[in-house]
């Protein structure tokens, strides 16, 4: 079981809030476990010499002069299991990743591998060592001496402003308010307690505090060790980030592109609190913390805050945010109808609202979900409200789903009301009979569509009978209000419909669903079906491929089962995975399902429309919603998620009588296709107060990224009654990489002020090829055979011959991609980095080894060449030779990929297009070959599979080539910025290295 770690569990409850504190701990020394290459561990006492030039350990069989490492010989300090010894199978499960670190030292790049009792001890040693190494030969000042730091000066100036009497002291109450103003989420009681502690320790009680005590209290309360650790990692001088340090952090760690020094100075001037820091372009710990907490550093990609998807596709190609019983504020049966429910739903970007019309007592129709509701809302008032709020949150079309339960005379009044109130917004143009698909959201901007029944063309009267299979009757039957004229023996119920209301229906004509074959042959694109959750669930389980295919052309609306009398919600993902566009949700009921819906529709500018994955839209494509593994042609991705800490976590709302302290843990959940659904949790942070440290890494494989949603849930392990603390839900495609804060929300989706999770996000392609997942002997024994994607036989000779020509190109494409992938992973591991690292980080790591030594071997990157070789002059140590060999392999495999990709890509596309030429003739060929029943179904499935595989593999190859070009650009860029590049001119743009491949048409 992993140890629980917390930064407050330092010896003597010391909190690491400065480099000085780290070095003090190292000077005192502590016990660490030393790991040998034979996987044995020995406890030793490690201490930093008083002159701060060496680290020693004892007891040791070695001479005391040999049981030490000189600081000047240290090349690098690595956190986690980043050396072959720590990665070996014998040790990998004995201690958590965050409790291990390694010191790479000496001309032979040896590694001293150590395991600490907790992550905070690791952080102290790593911060201290990196600080000492960065100063090289210059002896750093002893902790606590020298000039006041940038930060101390700023805090003192804040104190001076608050010292109105200029007496050198301010009242405790004012000091508390001052710290609270600088750190808004902090509890008053926490600040007061800290002042009492410090006053007691310094034997200075009283109602006032002096400047030195205020500075000490501020530093202890407002320094987040995990952010200080991050600052030390990137800072040249270990106290603040200069412009170049900040630029490096933004590019390398945050994955930002095109960052300039001007942009960095903007960040400094916006977030650095000290005047001196702003003038000199320095970002100290407080400014850095403010920046990381700001909207500029949000986990949610700002591109998705505005409409960023193609809005010119047919309406059936989008998921549409839909409400069921939007007017109810409570549950279905005891709820009261309230007009504000509509305002709320429309304000959240809802684009489909259900209106159930009943006969009103005043001769005018009314709206409520059931006749038992405590009050009803006049239809006229609802339409007025919709007219007012329809397009406040989104300009894209609103669909009003009319369920008619009122008499024909009241229907006429309803139709008049809609025409008069909505006017030009109402879409009344008849469908284009020549078109095959619905118009796009872009074409229908600002328009309101009516979904409902339509009289048959043969009916010439002012009213007529239509079938009715809508959900309202289920509800009415439960309440004893069903129509006494219900047909005997089941069958579809008939209702009277007025011509005026019928004429308002154009593009969303409700029709009964018979079966998929009938729909394929006879349903017109403007006709749509509604399915109960039970019926849709059955189709999703029994014939998902047919449901996906149906939804390519037609809209489908899924409504909740009438058994949900508490207005609970179904899981929208169960139906989104089959392409169902309109999953009607009870907006008034908070919880997991509503979190998924709200989080999902946040993307694309929260406009209520989200473009479905391409694999669900293309006319010929194979997609199984219930796939248990990766999909043909869709690149699976790995999400590396590190949950670092929590800030200002509230107590669970409904928890019973218990102390102020929560004992939180974090659950990270992936919701998507069945193959992606997973959940991992961190350990519980015990007695951690409001700001727990989790420091735990989680990993998820995502097979269909376009449909995946990540949900963070914070729960209390020591709860009475209620364990829920907070949540946040975000589409996978909206995640930003790097160090980010997650803005936590309540169960109802409301923001919780200042409550956040601090996380690190990295996304990589799934590691492919024949590499074992574990290193060491067992890893080599476990090498798996490379898997090749292949085409399937359709049983039609002419078609199979065409697809057979793609067998060799498919193998070549896989080899090209996976050879590069394996070479990249090996190079990154030898650099002591994870597969999530980028090429720039690798080159910078190698350069730091070379620069932190007097007798550094001469290794340079020849940037004059398109594929820059890494060249060594003279003898080099074994580890560096391995790194150079791995680099050379990576460059050669990348070169082969870049130079061969176009030809292989061409062959794949040629085979795909030749296959598509058969598509129009497919039904004629099937008849000629005598295929029917299961054989016919199998042939169609295999044909779709082959087209999807060829397009997908060509896409993957195109993507791999673009990545390889980008890696070359990063090598040029990093080589110039870190000083090991030679003959370099300006960094080549990736696009200039070689023309990109043409995009593949849908």
């Amino acid at each position: 079981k992993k140890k629980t770690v917390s930064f407050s569990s330092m010896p003597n409850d010391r909190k690491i809030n400065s480099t000085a504190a780290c070095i003090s701990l190292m000077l005192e020394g502590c016990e660490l476990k030393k790991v040998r290459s034979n996987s044995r561990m020995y406890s030793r006492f490690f201490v930093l010499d008083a002159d701060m030039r060496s680290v020693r350990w004892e007891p040791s069989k070695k001479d005391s002069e040999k049981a030490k490492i000189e600081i000047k010989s240290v090349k690098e300090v690595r956190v986690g299991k980043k050396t072959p010894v720590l990665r070996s199978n014998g040790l990998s499960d004995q201690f958590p990743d965050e409790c291990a670190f390694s010191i790479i030292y000496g001309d032979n790049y040896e590694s001293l591998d150590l395991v600490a009792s907790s992550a905070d001890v690791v952080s102290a040693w790593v911060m201290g060592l990196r600080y000492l190494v960065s100063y090289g030969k210059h002896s750093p000042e002893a902790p606590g001496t020298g000039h006041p730091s940038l930060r101390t000066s700023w805090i003192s100036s804040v104190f001076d402003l608050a010292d109105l009497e200029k007496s050198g002291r301010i009242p405790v109450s004012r000091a508390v308010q001052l710290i609270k103003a600088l750190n808004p989420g902090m509890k008053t009681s926490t600040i007061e307690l800290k002042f009492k502690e410090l006053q007691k320790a310094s034997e200075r009680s009283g109602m006032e505090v002096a400047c030195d005590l205020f500075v000490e209290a501020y530093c202890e309360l407002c320094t987040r060790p995990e952010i200080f650790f991050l600052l030390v990692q990137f800072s040249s001088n270990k106290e603040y980030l200069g412009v170049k340090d900040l630029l490096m952090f933004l590019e390398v760690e945050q994955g930002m592109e095109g960052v300039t020094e001007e942009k960095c100075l903007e960040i400094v001037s916006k977030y650095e609190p000290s005047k001196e820091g702003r003038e000199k372009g320095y970002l100290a710990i407080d400014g850095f913390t403010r920046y990381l907490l700001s909207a500029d550093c949000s986990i949610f990609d700002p591109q998705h805050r505005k409409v960023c998807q193609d809005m010119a596709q047919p309406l059936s190609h989008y998921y549409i945010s839909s409400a069921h019983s939007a007017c109810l504020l409570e549950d279905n049966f005891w709820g009261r109808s309230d007009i504000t429910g509509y305002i709320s739903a429309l304000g959240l970007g809802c684009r489909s609202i259900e209106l159930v019309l009943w006969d009103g007592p005043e001769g005018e129709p009314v709206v409520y979900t059931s006749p038992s509701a405590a009050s009803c809302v006049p239809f006229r008032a609802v339409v007025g409200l919709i007219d007012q709020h329809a397009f406040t949150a989104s300009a894209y079309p609103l669909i009003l789903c009319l369920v008619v339960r009122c008499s024909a005379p009241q229907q006429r009044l309803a139709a008049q009301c809609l025409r008069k109130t909505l006017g030009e917004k109402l879409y009344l143009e008849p469908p284009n009979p020549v078109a095959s698909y619905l118009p796009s959201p872009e074409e229908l901007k600002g328009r309101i569509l009516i979904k409902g029944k339509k009289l048959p063309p043969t009916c010439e009267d002012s009213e007529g009978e239509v079938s009715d299979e809508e959900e309202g009757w289920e509800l009415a039957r439960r309440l004893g209000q069903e129509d006494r004229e219900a047909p005997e023996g089941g069958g579809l119920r008939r209702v009277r419909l007025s011509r005026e209301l019928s004429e308002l229906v154009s593009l969303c004509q409700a029709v009964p669903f018979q079966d998929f074959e009938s729909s394929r042959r006879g349903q017109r694109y403007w006709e749509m079906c509604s399915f109960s959750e039970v019926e849709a669930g059955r189709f999703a389980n029994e014939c998902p491929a047919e449901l996906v295919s149906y939804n390519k052309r037609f809209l489908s609306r899924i409504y909740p089962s009438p058994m949900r009398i508490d207005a609970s919600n179904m899981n929208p993902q169960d139906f989104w995975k089959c392409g169902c566009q309109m999953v009607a949700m009870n907006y008034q009921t908070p919880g997991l399902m509503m979190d998924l819906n709200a989080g999902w529709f946040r993307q694309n500018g929260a406009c209520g429309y989200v473009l479905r994955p391409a694999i669900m839209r293309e006319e010929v494509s194979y997609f199984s919603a219930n796939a248990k593994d990766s999909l043909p042609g869709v690149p699976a991705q790995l999400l590396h998620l590190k949950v670092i800490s929590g800030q200002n976590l509230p107590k669970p709302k409904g928890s019973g009588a218990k102390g102020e302290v929560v004992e939180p843990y974090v659950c990270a959940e992936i919701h998507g296709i069945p193959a992606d659904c997973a959940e991992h949790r961190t350990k519980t942070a015990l007695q951690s107060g409001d700001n727990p440290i989790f420091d735990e890494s989680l990993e998820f494989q995502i097979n269909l990224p376009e449909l995946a949603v990540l949900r963070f849930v914070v729960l209390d392990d020591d709860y009475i009654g209620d364990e829920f603390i907070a949540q946040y839900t975000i589409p996978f495609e909206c995640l930003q990489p790097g160090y980010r804060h997650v803005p936590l929300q309540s169960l109802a989706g409301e923001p919780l002020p200042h409550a956040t999770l601090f996380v690190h996000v990295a996304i990589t392609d799934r590691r492919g090829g024949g590499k074992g997942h574990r290193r060491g002997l067992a890893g080599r024994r476990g090498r798996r055979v490379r898997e090749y994607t292949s085409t399937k036989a359709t049983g039609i000779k002419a078609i199979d011959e065409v697809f057979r020509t793609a067998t060799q190109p498919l193998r070549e494409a896989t080899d090209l991609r996976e050879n590069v992938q394996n070479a990249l992973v090996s190079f990154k591991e030898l650099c002591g980095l994870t597969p999530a690292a980028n090429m720039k980080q690798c080159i910078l790591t190698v350069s730091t080894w070379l620069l932190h030594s007097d007798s550094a071997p001469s290794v340079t990157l020849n940037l004059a060449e398109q594929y820059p070789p890494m060249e060594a002059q003279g003898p080099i140590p074994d580890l560096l030779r391995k790194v150079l060999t791995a680099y050379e392999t990576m460059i050669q495999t990348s070169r082969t990929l870049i130079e061969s990709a176009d030809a292989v890509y061409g062959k794949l596309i040629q085979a795909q297009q030749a296959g598509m030429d058969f598509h129009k003739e497919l039904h004629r060929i099937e008849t000629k070959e005598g295929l029917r029943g299961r054989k016919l179904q199998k042939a169609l499935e295999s044909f779709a599979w082959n087209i999807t595989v060829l397009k997908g593999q060509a896409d993957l190859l195109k993507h791999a080539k673009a990545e390889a070009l980008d890696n070359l650009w990063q090598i040029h860029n990093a080589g110039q910025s870190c000083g090991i590049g030679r003959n370099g001119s300006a960094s080549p743009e990736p696009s200039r290295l070689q023309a990109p491949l043409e995009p593949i048409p849908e």
Side-chain angles (χ1 to χ4, degrees):
K1 193 179 177 182
K2 290 185 178 181
K3 288 185 170 65
T4 298
V5 300
S6 150
F7 273 91
S8 60
S9 64
M10 294 297 296
N12 309 323
D13 201 32
R14 174 189 292 148
K15 193 171 181 184
I16 296 296
N17 56 24
S18 68
T19 317
C22 298
I23 292 172
S24 295
L25 176 96
M26 292 164 68
L27 288 165
E28 289 169 24
C30 71
E31 193 173 282
L32 300 170
K33 285 189 171 70
K34 185 168 176 269
V35 185
R36 290 258 181 92
S37 55
N38 60 5
S39 295
R40 290 189 177 170
M41 293 198 281
Y42 302 88
S43 286
R44 297 288 181 261
F45 188 81
F46 283 76
V47 66
L48 176 68
D49 274 357
D51 63 3
M52 292 187 279
R53 292 177 187 272
S54 305
V55 171
R56 296 179 184 274
W57 61 91
E58 55 188 36
S60 172
K61 290 177 184 172
K62 294 180 182 175
D63 180 321
S64 62
E65 280 306 301
K66 288 185 180 174
K68 72 170 187 178
I69 290 176
E70 290 189 349
I71 297 295
K72 68 178 182 184
S73 74
V74 175
K75 310 288 183 199
E76 185 194 358
V77 186
R78 298 181 185 174
V79 185
K81 301 170 191 173
K82 299 284 175 56
T83 62
V85 171
L86 291 176
R87 270 199 297 261
S88 70
N89 291 328
L91 289 171
S92 56
D93 298 326
Q94 290 188 29
F95 48 85
D97 192 67
E98 62 269 17
C99 287
F101 70 106
S102 304
I103 302 170
I104 312 295
Y105 68 97
D107 293 339
N108 290 323
Y109 292 74
E110 296 168 67
S111 72
L112 174 64
D113 299 300
L114 301 167
V115 177
S117 58
S118 65
D120 32 345
V121 174
V122 171
S123 297
W125 276 91
V126 172
M127 274 195 263
L129 284 166
R130 284 178 176 168
Y131 174 82
L132 294 169
V133 168
S134 72
Y135 275 89
K137 291 179 223 171
H138 309 293
S139 176
E141 293 171 344
T145 65
H147 302 294
S149 70
L150 198 68
R151 185 186 202 195
T152 311
S153 305
W154 166 66
I155 302 166
S156 302
S157 69
V158 170
F159 179 89
D160 292 341
L161 285 173
D163 181 12
L164 304 174
E165 296 80 21
K166 303 300 171 201
S167 62
R169 304 175 72 79
I170 61 171
V172 172
S173 57
R174 195 183 300 165
V176 169
Q177 287 310 310
L178 204 51
I179 288 180
K180 198 167 167 57
L182 294 168
N183 248 288
M186 198 170 284
K187 287 181 183 171
T188 305
S189 57
T190 307
I191 306 170
E192 288 171 345
L193 189 64
K194 178 55 68 179
F195 277 121
K196 281 179 186 170
E197 276 178 26
L198 294 175
Q199 283 180 324
K200 188 178 179 183
S202 60
E203 297 175 355
R204 289 189 283 178
S205 57
M207 298 307 291
E208 291 187 322
V209 292
C211 184
D212 61 333
L213 199 115
F214 178 79
V215 170
E216 191 180 351
Y218 179 87
C219 289
E220 289 201 19
L221 286 166
C222 304
T223 305
R224 284 178 47 192
E226 71 276 27
I227 291 183
F228 181 68
F229 186 32
L230 192 56
L231 181 136
V232 168
Q233 238 178 304
F234 283 89
S235 165
S236 318
N237 78 336
K238 309 304 168 199
E239 291 295 339
Y240 52 76
L241 295 174
V243 169
K244 283 191 165 53
D245 300 332
L246 181 57
L247 191 139
M248 189 70 72
F249 170 73
L250 297 175
E251 277 192 347
V252 169
E253 207 56 70
Q254 302 298 85
M256 287 172 68
E257 292 175 0
V259 188
T260 60
E261 292 196 2
E262 289 71 30
K263 173 67 182 169
C264 294
L265 285 168
E266 272 178 42
I267 290 171
V268 171
S269 64
K270 187 172 178 182
Y271 295 105
E272 174 54 41
S274 71
K275 189 181 176 190
E276 186 189 351
R278 290 195 298 273
E279 286 170 355
K280 292 182 176 175
Y282 297 155
L283 195 64
I285 180 68
D286 298 288
F288 190 42
T289 305
R290 287 180 182 190
Y291 170 64
L292 288 172
L293 278 163
S294 72
D296 288 345
C297 203
S298 167
I299 190 170
F300 192 94
D301 187 341
Q303 282 187 312
H304 287 271
R305 294 195 188 282
K306 53 185 185 293
V307 175
C308 56
Q309 296 176 345
D310 176 9
M311 300 304 284
Q313 301 267 344
L315 211 57
S316 59
H317 286 185
Y318 298 84
Y319 296 112
I320 303 170
S321 180
S322 306
H324 177 255
S325 354
C327 66
L328 283 195
L329 292 187
E330 294 165 33
D331 64 53
N332 275 342
F333 285 92
W334 332 116
R336 57 189 181 83
S337 298
D338 188 302
I339 210 156
T340 57
Y342 290 109
I343 301 174
S344 171
L346 290 168
L348 291 168
C350 178
R351 296 288 83 197
S352 167
I353 282 181
E354 177 193 49
L355 300 176
V356 186
L357 277 63
W358 300 83
D359 279 331
E362 306 295 323
E364 283 198 22
V366 293
V367 171
Y368 44 21
T369 303
S370 74
S372 75
S375 62
C376 57
V377 184
F379 180 68
R380 192 178 297 279
V382 174
V383 176
L385 194 79
I386 288 168
D387 179 54
Q388 197 179 338
H389 296 276
F391 301 106
T392 50
S394 170
Y396 292 100
L398 174 68
I399 301 170
L400 296 184
C401 301
L402 294 189
V403 181
V404 181
R405 296 287 166 264
C406 59
S407 60
Q410 294 209 10
Q411 288 177 32
R412 291 188 191 98
L413 290 174
Q416 288 165 17
C417 172
L418 285 165
R419 279 183 185 272
K420 186 181 174 185
T421 312
L422 302 179
E424 289 295 307
K425 292 176 189 162
L426 212 52
Y427 186 89
L428 301 172
E429 296 158 37
N432 179 358
V434 183
S436 302
Y437 286 92
L438 288 160
S440 69
E442 190 61 43
E443 291 172 80
L444 296 170
K445 248 182 174 178
R447 307 303 289 274
I448 295 174
L449 312 180
I450 303 294
K451 179 225 168 222
K453 289 287 172 183
K454 205 164 174 65
L455 290 173
T458 51
C459 176
E460 295 177 1
D461 300 334
S462 61
E463 59 185 73
E465 271 199 349
V466 291
S467 67
D468 184 37
E469 65 291 337
E470 291 286 350
E471 64 263 38
W473 288 123
E474 290 279 349
L475 211 54
R477 187 164 62 249
R478 293 179 63 87
L479 295 158
Q481 301 285 332
E482 73 268 39
D483 189 345
R484 289 182 177 77
E485 296 174 23
E488 289 181 21
L492 290 174
R493 190 178 297 274
R494 313 292 294 177
V495 292
R496 302 294 293 174
L497 180 67
S498 78
R499 176 165 297 282
E500 287 91 334
L501 207 54
S502 169
E503 285 172 350
L504 298 183
V505 177
S506 169
L507 294 178
C508 297
Q509 183 182 337
V511 295
F513 179 78
Q514 291 171 313
D515 56 65
F516 291 114
E517 186 55 32
S518 303
S519 295
R520 190 164 74 91
R521 293 186 186 281
Q523 191 171 332
R524 293 168 297 187
Y525 71 84
W526 61 83
E527 294 174 337
M528 64 175 287
C529 300
S530 289
F531 302 89
S532 76
E533 126 184 43
V534 176
E535 186 183 18
R538 184 164 51 81
F539 291 145
N541 289 322
E542 293 173 9
C543 43
E546 287 177 277
L547 188 51
V548 169
S549 184
Y550 172 86
N551 286 318
K552 287 178 185 178
R553 277 193 68 204
F554 309 116
L555 286 175
S556 59
R557 179 174 179 273
I558 317 299
Y559 57 86
S561 160
M563 302 304 290
R564 294 183 181 275
I565 60 170
D566 57 350
S568 61
N569 275 308
M570 52 192 163
N571 186 344
Q573 282 278 3
D574 290 344
F575 307 104
W576 290 339
K577 71 180 185 185
C578 293
C580 300
Q581 300 88 348
M582 299 161 71
V583 183
M585 304 293 284
N586 288 308
Y587 270 59
Q588 72 275 20
T589 309
L592 164 62
M593 305 313 172
M594 203 55 215
D595 291 346
L596 293 177
N597 192 74
W600 179 251
F601 284 105
R602 266 194 205 110
Q603 62 184 307
N604 203 26
C607 74
Y609 285 82
V610 170
L611 190 62
R612 295 185 310 165
I615 200 166
M616 290 188 184
R617 305 191 310 264
E618 288 153 1
E619 191 178 351
V620 181
S621 64
Y622 177 87
F623 173 67
S624 173
N626 294 329
K628 296 286 187 286
D629 198 0
S630 55
L631 302 162
V634 178
Q637 299 199 302
L638 283 181
L639 169 63
H640 309 263
L641 184 67
K642 187 170 189 180
V643 182
I644 302 167
S645 60
Q647 291 73 45
N648 307 309
L649 300 181
K651 269 178 66 178
K653 234 178 185 175
S655 65
K658 58 172 272 186
E660 281 300 303
V661 177
V662 292
E663 295 191 344
Y665 63 96
V666 179
C667 272
E669 307 165 348
I670 293 287
H671 298 265
I673 61 170
D676 291 344
C677 291
E679 177 184 317
H680 295 312
R681 60 157 285 181
T682 66
K683 58 190 161 292
T684 301
L686 301 168
Q687 300 297 317
S688 58
D690 307 327
N691 303 304
I693 295 286
F694 301 105
D695 217 351
E696 196 154 345
S697 299
L698 313 171
E699 194 175 277
F700 298 90
Q701 179 173 311
I702 316 289
N703 295 292
L704 185 55
E706 289 173 280
L707 205 57
V709 176
L710 170 64
R711 181 173 184 253
F712 295 94
V713 197
V714 188
L715 301 165
D716 186 2
D717 215 359
D718 182 33
Y719 67 97
I720 300 172
D722 181 17
E723 60 178 342
F724 179 87
I725 295 174
Q727 63 83 25
Y728 182 73
T729 310
I730 179 171
F732 181 80
E733 297 279 271
C734 298
L735 285 170
Q736 288 218 93
Y739 288 93
R740 308 286 174 184
H741 280 90
V742 177
L744 295 172
Q745 298 178 340
S746 69
L747 192 63
E750 292 149 357
L752 293 169
H754 314 297
T756 53
L757 285 179
F758 187 44
V759 299
H760 182 265
V761 176
I763 297 164
T764 58
D765 288 339
R766 184 175 67 170
R767 174 168 154 187
K771 238 173 210 310
H773 281 272
R774 290 177 181 275
R775 306 296 290 166
L777 291 172
R780 286 198 290 275
R781 280 202 301 272
R783 288 171 78 94
R784 57 189 174 84
V785 178
R786 181 168 291 177
E787 292 172 9
Y788 294 97
T789 307
S790 58
T791 55
K792 293 181 178 180
T794 62
I796 302 167
K797 191 178 175 186
I799 295 177
D800 287 342
E801 279 176 5
V802 165
F803 287 133
R804 213 170 285 128
T805 63
T807 305
Q808 190 56 31
L810 281 171
R811 288 182 72 87
E812 287 174 27
T814 303
D815 287 338
L816 287 170
R817 285 189 296 105
E818 299 206 343
N819 288 347
V820 171
Q821 195 66 22
N822 291 339
L824 276 169
V825 170
S826 294
F827 179 54
K828 288 173 185 178
E829 283 190 351
L830 282 165
C831 291
L833 299 166
T834 66
N838 59 35
M839 188 51 59
K840 199 162 191 178
Q841 285 168 300
C842 297
I843 302 301
L844 293 174
T845 299
V846 174
S847 75
T848 54
W849 298 348
L850 302 170
L851 299 173
H852 284 157
S853 174
D854 294 335
S855 57
S858 177
V859 176
T860 55
L861 273 171
N862 185 355
L863 300 180
E865 297 192 28
Q866 184 182 340
Y867 301 95
M870 198 179 273
E871 299 161 344
Q873 279 76 44
I876 56 169
D878 188 44
L879 175 70
L880 207 52
R881 185 170 300 285
K882 285 180 182 173
V883 170
L884 261 62
T885 306
Y887 174 84
E888 181 61 26
T889 307
M890 186 264 299
I891 284 290
Q892 287 309 321
T893 54
S894 298
R895 180 174 190 159
T896 307
L897 167 69
I898 290 165
E899 292 175 355
S900 311
D902 288 18
V904 178
Y905 176 90
K907 290 175 189 171
L908 291 173
I909 290 305
Q910 194 178 348
Q912 188 230 7
Q913 287 170 348
M916 282 302 286
D917 289 343
F918 282 106
H919 180 241
K920 293 184 179 71
E921 299 291 307
L922 211 51
H923 286 295
R924 185 184 60 77
I925 298 169
E926 288 159 9
T927 311
K928 185 182 169 188
E929 296 278 333
L931 294 177
R932 56 176 65 86
R934 185 74 195 109
K935 278 189 177 178
L936 173 61
Q937 188 61 35
K938 192 81 181 140
L940 291 171
E941 265 185 25
S942 297
F943 182 83
W945 165 276
N946 294 344
I947 295 293
T948 306
V949 161
L950 291 171
K951 181 186 182 305
Q953 291 298 315
D955 268 339
L956 290 177
L957 191 59
K958 179 176 70 170
H959 176 69
K961 180 182 172 181
E963 271 198 346
L965 290 168
D966 183 59
N967 281 336
L968 290 181
W969 177 78
Q970 287 189 46
I971 290 168
H972 273 88
N973 202 312
Q976 283 187 319
S977 63
C978 69
I980 64 166
R982 62 183 177 83
N983 306 328
S985 55
S987 300
E989 289 297 317
S991 57
R992 289 187 200 151
L993 291 169
Q994 190 154 335
L997 296 162
E998 288 301 307
I1000 302 171
E1002 281 192 9

